Amino acid sequence: MELRLDGLHHGYGPVEVLRGIDLDIPAGRIVCIVGPSGCGKSTLLRLIGGLELPNRGSVIQIGEAPPDSLNPLTYIFQDFALLPWRTVEGNVRLVLEDHGFGRDENARIVDDVLARTRLSEFRDAFPRQLSGGMKQRVAIARALSVSPEFLLMDEPLSALDAQTHELLMDDLIDLWTRERFSAVYITHNLQEAVRLGHRVVVLSRRPGTVREIIEIDLPLDARAGHTRELETHRQHLWRLIRDEAQAAELELVDG
Amino acid sequence: MAEPGRAGRPVSFRGGGFMPRPVGAVGPLVFLAIVGLWEAGSRSGLISPLVMPAPSEALAALGHLLETGLLWKHLGASLQRLLVGWTVGTVLGIAVGVSIGLFSLARSGLAPIVAAIFPIPKIALLPLFVIWFGIGEGSKIATILFGTFFPTVIATYGGVDNVDRSLIRMGQSFGLSWSSIVRKIILPGALPAILPGFRISAAIAIVLLVAAEMIGAEFGVGAYILLAGNLMATDELIAGVVILSIMGLTVNWLIARAERFLLRWRL
Ligand SMILES: Nc1ncnc2c1ncn2[C@@H]1O[C@H](COP(=O)(O)OP(=O)(O)OP(=O)(O)O)[C@@H](O)[C@H]1O
Ligand SMILES: [Mg+2]
């Protein structure tokens, strides 16, 4: 299954947020979207996953998701969005309960994803007992439990401190290397974009349009050894974004 | 920087304080001291028995109630009214509060009415209820039910309004059904606001109970107090007030227990 964004326009009242976004999102790869703050990245992700309807244009799904994918388009949120009154296990089970598998099958799936994210020993902890990094791993486990075709991630690591950030980044690279999931990954961190993205889409400032798309062909697990090449990509991205970011900054100051 | 060998002094401490903590036996001691002074005052004739009975006399009245078995008759009648009125009022209040929190139509239609009726002291409606529901149990339970209903509605829809929208968005993004979102996200999310509402509605319910029992009730703590007052039997009156105080404390304790259990994820 692939996704195609076809002439997406969106805005709120008089504010035009996205203007004419055309984009192909392939399977089995991570597409990073970067752009200055307020350019409509989060809005774009909500449109892609069907949480909001675009004013014009459409998000098209090409091919069917396999029947065992319970929730083909699955989000991972910046603020984790865990239910504080449910334990780790309960938070994962929440998204399975509506599928009518029965207790045993639910427990099997929960055990499986908790093991895959190395959370098994924390299954009875409440979110308040977990650090930010652990919370995001629970959110990742929850997302994996519904066998998504696409993971839609909105700055999943930006609420974390620098060290946790690095650790989770390695986790994500591991996970991708094992499972080859497809993802749209929003970030404002260019370092993240060049380490995780097979394709990096640069948006202009509001109203957001696609400014440039770069492809990074290095395999994810080999990137640690190619810092120079990544740095070149990063600097290229930064040059693209810097002017936009400065202009956007001034816009915000003006209100 | 500091020269080596020069004498210094510790930086003076200016933190601390502003953290009152309960100190062991102080509470019971103060209570006993007040009762003791009161007893001494009564015995020495400083406090006229016409104005205030000695605590020992009030205790005797309580003992008399217990011996004759009247205590259970009064308490039973009161607790039954309280339980029925409060429970029905709370259930209806939560139902209406959740509807106001969820549906635009309910919000536009009901919220203004609730806001208009909430501030009316329900005691003022008691005579009306007597006309509508008769002088018996009906009017008493209706008064308590009414008094409980409105604060519960307001606490509930405030709680629903304050449920983190990002959690609801999360539920939708995983394709949870509408009823799952309401049962598993909205209701538990509103609970921290609903439970403190219980304290308020329980306090209101006890006030209304006593008031309602002062009209045409044979049994009930309120009826007992009213009768004692009419007979100038201040010892019985104080005994009745003590029963009310214990009732209120017990209700509060039960709600605190429920809170601690239901909100243990919050701590
Ligand atoms: N529900 C909404 N109603 C009105 N305006 C909105 C809404 N959501 C977003 N906006 C506006 O749309 C613009 C784009 O918002 P969006 O959150 O998509 O940007 P972003 O690129 O994700 O920004 P950031 O980098 O800060 O996360 C902003 O100016 C924002 O104020
Ligand atoms: Mg955003």
Side-chain angles (χ1 to χ4, degrees):
Chain A
M1 169 180 154
E2 297 183 8
L3 294 174
R4 174 177 301 151
L5 312 188
D6 196 8
L8 281 187
H9 279 264
H10 199 62
Y12 299 99
V15 183
E16 191 181 11
V17 177
L18 294 170
R19 177 189 288 172
I21 304 276
D22 293 308
L23 198 62
D24 282 321
I25 302 174
R29 315 226 286 160
I30 299 180
V31 175
C32 286
I33 298 181
V34 297
S37 42
C39 74
K41 303 183 292 295
S42 300
T43 307
L44 183 60
L45 204 65
R46 286 199 299 274
L47 297 178
I48 294 176
L51 282 182
E52 226 170 303
L53 278 175
N55 290 353
R56 260 187 296 139
S58 48
V59 179
I60 294 162
Q61 169 185 336
I62 301 165
E64 284 303 315
D68 65 336
S69 174
L70 302 178
N71 192 47
L73 303 174
T74 296
Y75 285 88
I76 292 176
F77 299 92
Q78 177 178 3
D79 61 358
F80 324 127
L82 299 177
L83 301 186
W85 49 87
R86 283 195 178 218
T87 59
V88 167
E89 181 198 357
N91 265 289
V92 177
R93 195 154 26 78
L94 172 81
V95 300
L96 298 170
E97 283 165 351
D98 276 10
H99 293 283
F101 287 137
R103 201 177 277 267
D104 294 342
E105 177 65 2
N106 280 351
R108 195 193 60 72
I109 299 176
V110 172
D111 287 344
D112 175 52
V113 293
L114 290 185
R116 273 154 70 197
T117 45
R118 283 173 285 127
L119 284 167
S120 302
E121 49 184 311
F122 300 99
R123 59 185 310 140
D124 295 321
F126 283 106
R128 77 179 144 81
Q129 300 170 297
L130 302 174
S131 67
M134 296 292 284
K135 284 184 199 157
Q136 196 55 294
R137 273 167 54 195
V138 177
I140 292 171
R142 177 177 63 188
L144 293 178
S145 74
V146 290
S147 318
E149 276 290 282
F150 274 92
L151 285 177
L152 306 177
M153 305 194 248
D154 191 355
E155 309 199 23
L157 305 185
S158 66
L160 307 176
D161 65 82
Q163 290 149 26
T164 316
H165 182 273
E166 281 304 302
L167 291 175
L168 239 83
M169 188 99 125
D170 291 343
D171 278 4
L172 280 179
I173 292 171
D174 275 358
L175 195 67
W176 187 85
T177 312
R178 272 187 282 133
E179 321 215 347
R180 308 275 155 160
F181 57 83
S182 325
V184 180
Y185 188 106
I186 305 245
T187 179
H188 59 251
N189 181 331
L190 302 181
Q191 189 74 40
E192 260 177 40
V194 295
R195 278 178 64 191
L196 282 177
H198 296 96
R199 174 180 291 181
V200 182
V201 179
V202 183
L203 295 185
S204 67
R205 70 172 192 273
R206 204 181 67 209
T209 54
V210 175
R211 174 97 198 266
E212 190 169 325
I213 298 177
I214 68 168
E215 306 277 342
I216 304 178
D217 288 328
L218 288 168
L220 287 195
D221 49 348
R223 288 190 183 184
H226 290 81
T227 40
R228 267 248 293 287
E229 198 174 335
L230 291 187
E231 180 57 19
T232 313
H233 282 303
R234 198 193 65 79
Q235 279 177 5
H236 175 63
L237 288 173
W238 173 234
R239 274 193 301 277
L240 285 174
I241 286 185
R242 186 179 50 205
D243 303 337
E244 302 279 349
Q246 264 167 1
E249 201 71 9
L250 292 177
E251 235 166 53
L252 292 181
V253 171
D254 292 342
Chain B
M1 285 276 89
E3 300 161 34
R6 267 189 69 189
R9 59 181 180 82
V11 171
S12 58
F13 175 65
R14 48 190 169 162
F18 302 104
M19 282 179 75
R21 252 185 295 259
V23 182
V26 172
L29 279 180
V30 169
F31 179 79
L32 284 179
I34 289 176
V35 174
L37 277 177
W38 175 6
E39 181 74 38
S42 297
R43 298 224 172 158
S44 66
L46 220 60
I47 303 174
S48 150
L50 270 179
V51 182
M52 262 309 229
S56 53
E57 287 169 32
L59 199 67
L62 213 52
H64 181 70
L65 265 182
L66 202 61
E67 272 164 35
T68 53
L70 277 175
L71 178 64
W72 306 120
K73 272 217 164 104
H74 289 304
L75 209 56
S78 288
L79 286 182
Q80 192 183 337
R81 290 166 190 143
L82 202 61
L83 212 66
V84 175
W86 184 83
T87 309
V88 178
T90 297
V91 169
L92 290 179
I94 290 179
V96 171
V98 169
S99 328
I100 292 181
L102 289 181
F103 308 114
S104 310
L105 214 59
R107 169 159 310 217
S108 339
L110 296 177
I113 297 185
V114 170
I117 302 181
F118 173 59
I120 302 175
K122 304 300 174 296
I123 296 179
L125 299 178
L126 187 52
L128 203 59
F129 287 152
V130 170
I131 297 173
W132 289 353
F133 303 109
I135 192 114
E137 293 304 300
S139 62
K140 297 177 180 58
I141 289 174
T143 312
I144 296 169
L145 190 158
F146 232 62
T148 316
F149 174 78
F150 290 95
T152 309
V153 171
I154 288 173
T156 305
Y157 91 72
V160 172
D161 282 354
N162 275 325
V163 174
D164 189 349
R165 296 293 119 173
S166 69
L167 294 181
I168 298 175
R169 193 72 37 79
M170 180 278 293
Q172 293 175 319
S173 83
F174 278 96
L176 300 200
S177 65
W178 184 86
S179 85
S180 280
I181 291 179
V182 172
R183 277 182 301 121
K184 297 172 187 170
I185 299 180
I186 293 179
L187 283 181
L191 209 56
I194 296 176
L195 286 175
F198 281 8
R199 281 177 199 277
I200 298 173
S201 66
I204 293 178
I206 292 179
V207 170
L208 292 176
L209 168 78
V210 175
E213 283 178 347
M214 289 185 167
I215 298 180
E218 189 183 352
F219 292 108
V221 182
Y224 175 75
I225 293 178
L226 184 73
L227 187 66
N230 288 346
L231 300 175
M232 301 280 253
T234 48
D235 52 343
E236 292 184 1
L237 198 149
I238 296 290
V241 170
V242 168
I243 295 174
L244 285 181
S245 165
I246 293 173
M247 229 158 87
L249 286 174
T250 310
V251 167
N252 255 332
W253 179 80
L254 286 175
I255 293 172
R257 285 298 297 259
E259 264 180 334
R260 214 162 348 130
F261 174 72
L262 291 170
L263 303 182
R264 65 190 177 287
W265 48 272
R266 220 171 43 158
L267 282 178

